[in-house]
Amino acid sequence: MSYCYFDESGQIGGDTTKPNVSAGFYCALVVVDNPKALGRCVKKTVGGFSQKQLEKFSGTLHAYRELDKTRLRLLGHVAKTDV
C-alpha cells in the first residue's frame, strides 16, 4: 500500500496587492510505500537539533518556518533512504 502526503501553501484568488498575501499557490506531494522510513528521516532530522531548537520545536516541521539547514538535512536523509 502506498501513502500520500500532501501540503499546499498560498492562496487562490487572493488580493496579491495586500501585504503577506502570496502571489502563487504551491503544492507538494510525496508518495511513499514505506511511511516508517520517512518517519525515521524526520526523527534523524529532529535528533540533530540543538537544545535551543528543541525548545522551540512544536512537533511539526513547517517548511516556511524552518532554517535552510533543517530543510536540507531532511531532504538529504530522504534522498539517501528507500521510501
Side-chain angles (χ1 to χ4, degrees), residues 3-62:
Y3 293 82
C4 177
Y5 299 92
F6 175 80
D7 192 22
E8 52 75 28
S9 179
Q11 183 174 327
I12 296 175
D15 183 357
T16 58
T17 62
K18 292 182 180 178
N20 299 323
V21 175
S22 175
F25 185 77
Y26 308 95
C27 296
L29 181 71
V30 177
V31 179
V32 298
D33 292 324
N34 186 356
K36 288 183 181 182
L38 188 60
R40 284 191 297 271
C41 291
V42 172
K43 284 184 181 182
K44 285 181 188 177
T45 301
V46 173
F49 280 5
S50 67
Q51 186 62 36
K52 188 175 180 178
Q53 286 174 299
L54 284 174
E55 289 170 5
K56 294 181 179 181
F57 184 57
S58 66
T60 304
L61 294 172
H62 292 278

Side-chain angles (χ1 to χ4, degrees), residues 63-79:
Y64 67 92
R65 276 194 249 156
E66 302 304 329
L67 299 172
D68 286 342
K69 178 180 173 181
T70 302
R71 285 191 291 269
L72 292 172
R73 185 181 298 142
L74 177 60
L75 292 172
H77 289 312
V78 172

